[in-house]
């Protein structure tokens, strides 16, 4: 296939960026989206120009490194699919494909399609952990977890921190990411110890990073490559109200 | 002291919770308001409406209730403006390609616009009736007949009620989610109840100017 690529190019955080156009021939429908970019980059390097910078690592949809907005859709047109798992058979010969980085004040562009997502690390560090002893393995069934809770917690834990929720949100909110962490740990007995302090600290950090506020468009959950459910956000809202009004935390 | 209240009221989630609570209380006011207005349909000469207005005007707590209502509006609008401005700042560079994942609606993306239209209508509404209270209380039903003979007034009321319908179409399930209520057994019902409720309430409010215009002839 032959594609008409329109890609955001930006030298560094301070530089002005712009869309650049490339024609790419010989794209196979069996390639992944990132392999298509690899082919483009080989060609660009051959021509003595800078390759297009993009983040990637596992290329099997588990690490959360990759991601771009393709024709206005986060991680492209497939549901519950990371960019590395998107295949070129979703496109047709002669298509124009517009590729832009995540857009958020809290995710400044470092170069081309690569953005700085350390804001997520700081939210995680603010409270996304449990203080459990990691001594010897505990007895089986010492902490009973009902099956529905275990499954719900697992749905939340699937979040790979790619930032697609922020990119998809019309308000640039990081609620689905933060909520996935809060709801995951609030659902399990191990997470109860820091329950109130966690949600207060993580939400405060989220706000300080300059993300927007949720107005319930629900674009995030539809864009999420792991399908983290929207009730995570309701759970975080509930946890936040609980911690504010009913706990002795953060007086 | 009271640092926790400050933290809550300035957090993204706290602000949204306050918007949801003030919004739901405003809906409570609208329900009382529409129930009162329905006395317009109780008879032909408007005596039921006149009696209703008289009983309300005589209530000793009326000034307090009005002050509370004004406060609800002010808090809701202040938080709406602040949240909208901050959300715009959260994405300084827009996407060039516009796309969607199929969840946002015209109502959800237009909340600020529908809110501003409601506010504009509200000002017109207050000018028509509340700020001419002495005249209005003298002959309530007459005032209604008189006001809805003006075509521009009827048009503004219909636009205002349409905006209210859009606002509530999104607002009710949004408020439930904001306040932490999301449950597989109830959430689908809340979504559809909220949408139908919003449309029905808007139609009821819009019916008053329209029915009066048709009944008495919109002349000027
Ligand atoms: C009768 C008048 C009004 C009622 C009953 C009402 C009701 C509501 C409700 C229930 C919500 C949902 C809150 C949430 O999910 O957190 C809401 C949200 C909102 N309202 Fe209003 N509102 C009214 C007037 C206004 C006005 C005058 C404005 C602005 C000038 C406004 C702007 C907004 C905005 C921007 C939102 C946020 C959108 C969102 O969270 O989804 N509203 N309103
Ligand atoms: S590269 Fe790891 S998820 Fe795509």
């Amino acid at each position: 296939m032959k594609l008409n690529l329109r890609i955001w190019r930006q030298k560094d955080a301070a530089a002005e960026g712009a869309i650049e156009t490339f024609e790419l021939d010989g794209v196979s429908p069996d390639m992944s989206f990132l392999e298509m970019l690899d082919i483009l980059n080989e060609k660009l390097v051959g021509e003595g120009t800078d390759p297009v910078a993009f983040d990637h690592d596992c290329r099997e949809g588990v690490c959360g490194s990759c991601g771009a907005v393709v024709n206005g859709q986060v991680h492209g047109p497939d549901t519950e699919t990371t960019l590395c798992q998107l295949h070129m058979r979703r496109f047709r010969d002669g298509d124009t494909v517009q590729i832009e980085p995540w857009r958020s004040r809290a995710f400044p562009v470092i170069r081309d399609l690569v953005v700085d997502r350390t804001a997520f690390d700081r939210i995680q560090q603010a409270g996304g952990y449990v203080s459990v002893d990691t001594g010897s393995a505990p007895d089986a069934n010492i902490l009973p977890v009902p099956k529905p809770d275990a499954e719900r917690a697992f749905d939340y834990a699937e979040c790979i921190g790619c930032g697609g929720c922020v990119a998809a949100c019309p308000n640039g909110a990081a609620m689905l990411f933060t909520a996935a962490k809060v709801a995951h740990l609030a659902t399990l007995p191990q997470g109860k110890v820091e329950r109130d302090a966690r949600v207060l600290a993580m939400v405060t950090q989220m706000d300080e990073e300059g993300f927007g506020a949720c107005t319930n468009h629900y674009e995030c959950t539809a864009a999420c490559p792991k399908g983290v459910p929207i009730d995570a956000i309701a759970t975080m809202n509930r946890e936040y109200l609980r911690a504010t009004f009913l706990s002795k935390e953060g007086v | 002291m009271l640092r926790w209240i400050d933290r809550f009221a300035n957090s993204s989630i706290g602000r949204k919770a306050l918007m949801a609570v003030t919004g739901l209380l405003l809906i409570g006011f609208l329900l009382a308001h529409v129930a009162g207005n329905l006395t317009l349909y109780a008879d032909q000469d408007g005596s039921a409406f006149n009696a209703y207005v008289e009983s309300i005007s005589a209530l000793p707590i009326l000034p307090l209730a009005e002050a509370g209502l004004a406060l609800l509006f002010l808090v809701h609008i202040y938080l709406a403006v602040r949240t909208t401005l901050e959300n715009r700042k959260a994405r300084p560079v827009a996407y060039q390609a516009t796309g969607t994942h199929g969840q946002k609606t015209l109502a959800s993306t237009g909340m600020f616009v529908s809110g501003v239209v409601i506010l504009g209508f509200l000002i017109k509404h207050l000018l028509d009736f509340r700020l001419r209270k002495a005249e209005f209380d003298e002959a309530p039903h007459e005032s209604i007949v008189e006001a809805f003979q003006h075509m521009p007034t009827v048009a503004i009321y219909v636009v205002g009620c349409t905006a209210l319908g859009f606002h509530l179409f999104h607002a009710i399930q949004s408020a439930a989610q904001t306040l932490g209520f999301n449950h597989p057994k109830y959430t689908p019902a809340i979504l559809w109840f909220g949408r139908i409720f919003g449309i029905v309430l808007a139609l009821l409010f819009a019916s008053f100017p329209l029915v009066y215009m048709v009944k008495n002839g919109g002349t000027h």
Side-chain angles (χ1 to χ4, degrees):
Chain A
M1 313 191 279
K2 188 165 168 179
L3 292 177
N4 191 12
L5 301 172
R6 293 170 49 80
I7 305 180
W8 183 262
R9 301 302 304 265
Q10 183 173 337
K11 219 156 184 62
D12 53 50
E16 284 269 323
I19 292 282
E20 235 178 83
T21 312
F22 308 92
E23 287 220 336
L24 188 62
D25 212 346
V27 177
S28 144
D30 299 328
M31 284 176 182
S32 75
F33 199 86
L34 299 191
E35 283 166 340
M36 181 276 291
L37 290 178
D38 290 337
I39 304 286
L40 171 71
N41 280 345
E42 265 172 37
K43 183 176 153 216
L44 292 180
V45 170
E47 290 166 358
T49 16
D50 278 342
V52 176
F54 62 93
D55 256 331
H56 61 103
D57 188 11
C58 71
R59 296 206 178 201
E60 53 188 19
V62 295
C63 75
S65 296
C66 65
V69 174
V70 178
N71 292 339
Q73 287 185 301
V74 165
H75 289 294
D78 281 346
T79 50
E80 298 198 17
T81 306
T82 55
L83 194 63
C84 58
Q85 295 283 291
L86 177 66
H87 280 80
M88 296 315 293
R89 52 178 167 268
R90 288 294 269 124
F91 300 89
R92 277 197 308 260
D93 187 39
D95 272 0
T96 296
V97 183
Q98 173 126 355
I99 313 171
E100 297 171 80
W102 293 167
R103 293 295 189 196
S104 158
R105 171 173 55 170
F107 287 166
V109 172
I110 299 172
R111 190 182 175 93
D112 299 340
L113 303 174
V114 181
V115 299
D116 179 356
R117 283 172 291 189
T118 50
F120 269 12
D121 299 341
R122 290 187 290 273
I123 294 174
Q124 186 76 26
Q125 283 157 6
Y129 50 79
V130 291
S131 54
V132 285
D133 265 331
T134 51
S136 53
D139 278 349
N141 300 329
I142 204 168
L143 273 179
V145 179
K147 182 82 167 33
D149 287 2
E151 293 200 337
R152 233 159 53 85
F154 197 80
D155 287 343
Y156 305 141
E158 275 196 68
C159 170
I160 52 176
C162 65
C165 45
V166 175
C169 176
N171 307 324
M175 293 280 282
L176 193 65
F177 166 78
T178 312
K181 310 301 169 191
V182 167
H184 165 208
L185 296 175
T187 306
L188 296 173
Q190 293 90 339
K192 298 284 195 257
V193 182
E194 289 106 343
R195 182 175 176 185
D196 297 313
R198 172 186 306 117
V199 66
L200 293 176
M202 290 182 81
V203 170
T204 301
Q205 189 63 39
M206 174 181 85
D207 289 348
E208 271 171 20
E209 298 292 346
F211 293 106
C214 177
T215 59
N216 304 320
H217 294 291
Y218 307 147
E219 287 286 301
C220 54
T221 185
C224 176
K226 298 294 149 185
V228 170
I230 199 67
D231 66 32
I233 295 182
T235 303
M236 175 162 73
N237 291 338
R238 199 162 63 237
E239 289 291 313
Y240 192 78
L241 293 172
R242 201 189 93 106
T244 298
F245 292 104
L246 303 180
S247 85
K248 299 199 176 75
E249 211 61 61
V251 181
Chain B
M1 214 190 60
L2 299 187
R3 242 173 2 107
W4 67 276
I5 295 181
D6 180 58
R7 182 217 293 248
F8 175 74
N10 286 301
S11 70
S12 55
I13 294 180
R15 272 191 270 135
K16 278 307 309 291
L18 291 172
M19 272 173 82
V21 170
T22 52
L24 290 177
L25 291 172
L26 287 173
I27 291 174
F29 158 71
L30 291 183
L31 281 176
H33 191 359
V34 82
N37 286 4
L38 282 172
T39 58
L40 285 171
Y41 295 154
D43 53 27
Q44 286 301 314
D45 63 355
S47 50
F49 182 72
N50 286 343
Y52 156 71
V53 171
E54 202 177 325
S55 66
I56 290 274
S57 303
L59 288 179
I61 61 152
L62 186 65
L64 195 68
E66 283 187 330
L69 186 59
L71 189 68
L72 287 182
F73 268 109
L74 289 179
V75 171
H76 189 81
I77 293 168
Y78 166 72
L79 294 170
V81 170
R82 207 175 132 188
T83 301
T84 304
L85 291 179
E86 285 185 14
N87 284 351
R88 293 206 176 139
K89 272 196 295 185
R91 175 161 296 136
V93 183
Y95 294 111
Q96 297 192 4
T98 47
T100 162
H101 292 271
Q103 297 299 306
K104 61 187 176 197
T105 61
L106 199 59
S108 79
T109 49
M111 283 303 270
F112 187 70
V113 176
S114 58
V116 169
V117 175
I118 293 171
L119 182 61
F121 156 71
L122 182 67
I123 292 170
K124 162 80 176 143
H125 186 46
L126 291 175
L127 288 174
D128 284 346
F129 299 114
R130 182 62 186 79
L131 296 183
R132 298 168 57 217
K133 187 163 164 44
E135 266 172 81
F136 180 78
D137 283 353
E138 195 80 357
H141 187 252
E142 289 279 286
S143 308
I144 302 279
V145 172
E146 158 74 23
F148 295 148
Q149 274 172 353
H150 298 272
M151 297 297 277
T153 301
V154 173
I156 291 172
Y157 277 56
V158 169
V159 170
C161 294
T162 307
L164 180 69
F166 267 95
H167 206 74
L168 297 187
F169 188 84
H170 174 71
I172 290 170
Q173 60 79 34
S174 177
Q177 168 85 1
T178 300
L179 294 174
F181 194 82
N182 185 313
H183 191 290
K185 285 183 187 153
Y186 310 112
T187 294
I190 292 176
L191 176 68
W192 286 105
F193 166 79
R195 290 179 167 179
I196 293 167
F197 174 91
I199 293 170
V200 169
L201 195 65
L203 286 176
L204 274 179
F205 272 120
S207 77
F208 304 118
L210 287 173
V211 166
Y212 268 73
M213 181 191 74
V214 171
K215 217 161 67 172
N216 300 298
T219 44
H220 41 278

